[in-house]
Every structure is written in C-alpha cells, then in structure tokens.
Amino acid sequence: MKQTLLTAMIAAAREAGSFQLSEFRRREPGWGDTKAAHDFVSFVDVESERLIKTNLVKTLPEAAFYGEETEQQRGAKYTWIVDPLDGTTNFLSGLDHFSVSIALWEDDRPKLAVIYKPATEELFTAADGQGAWRNGDLLSQAVPMDCGAALIATGTPYRSPDTAQAFYHALDQVLKKFRDVRRCGSAALDLAYVAAGFFQGFWEVDLQPYDVAAGLLLLKETGHPYSTFQGRPYDPFKHRGLVTGRPGVYETLQRQVAAAYGDL
C-alpha cells in the first residue's frame, strides 16, 4: 500500500510541477495577488492544489486534505498535507527555486513524503521507517561535523515582524559560529537539502504545517534531530519555531536561537 500511495504522490507532484513550468516566466516579474503583507498567491498556486487534490482524493478517499490554498481539514486518521507551490515569491519573480510538497500523515505522524523541484526534476521521497531518497538514491544518515564548516539555511520573518529583532540577533551569532547562511525561499527544499546534506542546519519561525509536513519525515529518516527553539518536541500545528541540523551542528544552533528568541 505504501508504494502505491507514494507512486500516486509522485505522479501528482510531477503533474503540478509540469503545469507550473508551463506558466513560469510568462509574465513580468512581480505579478500575483497579495494574501497578506509580503505573502502572495497566484492562480498557479490554486490550480496546482486542485490538480494534486484531485489525484490524491482518488488514491485514498478516506483521508482529509490540509492544503495551503483551498481547504484545511485534519482527518481522524489520515491527512494529506500539501503545499502546492512552496516558494511562490520566487516563482512570481522568475526564480526557479520553488517546489511541490506532499505528505501523508497518519494521526500525528508523517508516514510518506514527496518534495519535488520542477525546474530541475529533483525528487525527494521518504517512507516512515524505510528511509529517504533523492532521485531514487538512498540518502545517508547524518554524521557530526565541525560547526565552522557548516552552511545554515533560514527564512526571514516576513510573516512575523514581532520576531525581526530576535532574528537579526540570531543571524549575528550564527554568522560568527558557522560558515555562512542562505535564505533561498522554499522551506520545503531547505529541509530536503538538510536531509540530503547540502545544508547542515536550518532555523525559521512561523512556518505552516504544509511548509514542513513532508520535510520532517525526510529529517527523521536521515537521523537529523529537530525541535522547537527551546529544544522541545516540535509540532507544526502548535509551535512557532523549528530548528534542525546534523548532530553537533543542531545542538549549537539550537542554543543560539533559544538565546535569541527566548521562550517562543
């Protein structure tokens, strides 16, 4: 059953990605509608979610659907959690770093995950207890590394002006301890890249469940610890801050963000 579901998730992600590429760079940069300050949506987001939902509902009709754009329901047992276009601002500006994120959760745990980058056809998948893969190759387990060699990913607090001062304090401390910091604009890909070893740590505030639902399983299956900023078990439906990284990197990064953000 897992393989059947995962195959359907991959097909749904690829169909949505193909549609996105058909609309990519067809308009002047900056188009789209404003959902909230610095938060945008387009008909591409909405249609992508419709395509994905249509495919997934046929595959597992008893599952609820929790998406970014059209419906946010949690099921008694199964829930599809979907970000149809993670990195909308990049997409609207003509930058090709955006992704499709699909997760199947059973109760309060991720069971299957797909993160797909249409522009490069980069595909990340994971199954609970069975590992995580990039383009069909099994991802290695996380190993410790020196903080001075670690590249850290983050996201600016565009939804959360109340945390801006804490963010810049954390950034100052992180830059002193780690190799450098990147802000790429797709949290789903950030987590996938941590799982793959391309980034070695990550922190961000006020991520939504659909931003991280798939990425959390990739982290788990590759042995990357993750938590709230204060080191507590992270629940994307309850908590504001997420921090993760390789062993050794995670512990240092977690202490830094905890000191910067306080009891967030």
Side-chain angles (χ1 to χ4, degrees):
M1 181 182 177
K2 276 188 178 181
Q3 189 55 53
T4 299
L5 292 172
L6 193 59
T7 298
M9 293 164 68
I10 293 169
R14 290 191 185 277
E15 182 179 1
S18 178
F19 167 67
Q20 291 164 14
L21 290 178
S22 75
E23 298 292 337
F24 186 52
R25 294 178 178 166
R26 291 187 59 190
R27 298 161 183 82
E28 285 296 310
W31 66 284
D33 301 318
T34 303
K35 289 197 291 188
H38 306 293
D39 203 0
F40 301 92
V41 67
S42 72
F43 79 92
V44 178
D45 299 72
V46 176
E47 178 62 12
S48 295
E49 185 160 305
R50 187 194 70 79
L51 291 170
I52 293 167
K53 184 178 179 181
T54 298
N55 283 292
L56 298 182
V57 166
K58 290 187 294 186
T59 305
L60 192 66
E62 63 267 35
F65 188 88
Y66 193 105
E68 180 173 9
E69 307 301 342
T70 61
E71 181 182 349
Q72 295 185 350
Q73 301 292 330
R74 296 184 69 182
K77 185 173 184 180
Y78 294 112
T79 305
W80 295 111
I81 307 180
V82 173
D83 193 334
L85 202 175
D86 187 51
T88 298
T89 299
N90 285 351
F91 181 90
L92 298 177
S93 295
L95 297 174
D96 65 5
H97 193 76
F98 54 89
S99 63
V100 179
S101 176
I102 303 174
L104 178 64
W105 278 44
E106 182 178 354
D107 300 322
D108 294 320
R109 293 183 57 192
K111 304 301 288 185
L112 296 171
V114 169
I115 297 174
Y116 178 59
K117 183 178 180 181
T120 60
E121 298 188 346
E122 194 170 23
L123 177 68
F124 296 89
T125 59
D128 184 35
Q130 297 180 20
W133 299 265
R134 174 181 175 269
N135 296 338
D137 294 327
L138 184 67
L139 295 178
S140 301
Q141 291 295 296
V143 296
M145 69 179 298
D146 180 70
C147 289
L151 182 63
I152 308 300
T154 190
T156 51
Y158 64 94
R159 293 188 185 117
S160 315
D162 64 305
T163 67
Q165 184 174 355
F167 169 79
Y168 287 109
H169 177 61
L171 180 64
D172 176 67
Q173 296 304 304
V174 169
L175 286 170
K176 290 175 180 175
K177 185 69 175 179
F178 296 96
R179 173 171 281 183
D180 208 342
V181 174
R182 296 289 182 268
R183 190 273 194 262
C184 298
S186 170
L189 283 174
D190 286 344
L191 296 184
Y193 285 7
V194 171
F198 307 150
F199 290 132
Q200 293 80 50
F202 168 87
W203 93 95
E204 190 168 344
V205 69
D206 283 347
L207 293 163
Q208 301 302 308
Y210 43 77
D211 294 321
V212 302
L216 293 178
L217 185 56
L218 289 165
L219 295 175
K220 172 183 172 292
E221 291 300 312
T222 52
H224 287 82
Y226 63 85
S227 69
T228 68
F229 289 172
Q230 291 300 322
R232 304 183 185 107
Y234 173 76
D235 183 336
F237 291 95
K238 296 178 180 178
H239 298 126
R240 294 187 71 182
L242 170 65
V243 57
T244 186
R246 288 194 184 194
V249 171
Y250 158 77
E251 289 80 3
T252 299
L253 184 59
Q254 185 269 316
R255 287 194 296 270
Q256 288 182 323
V257 297
Y261 288 87
D263 194 15
L264 184 66

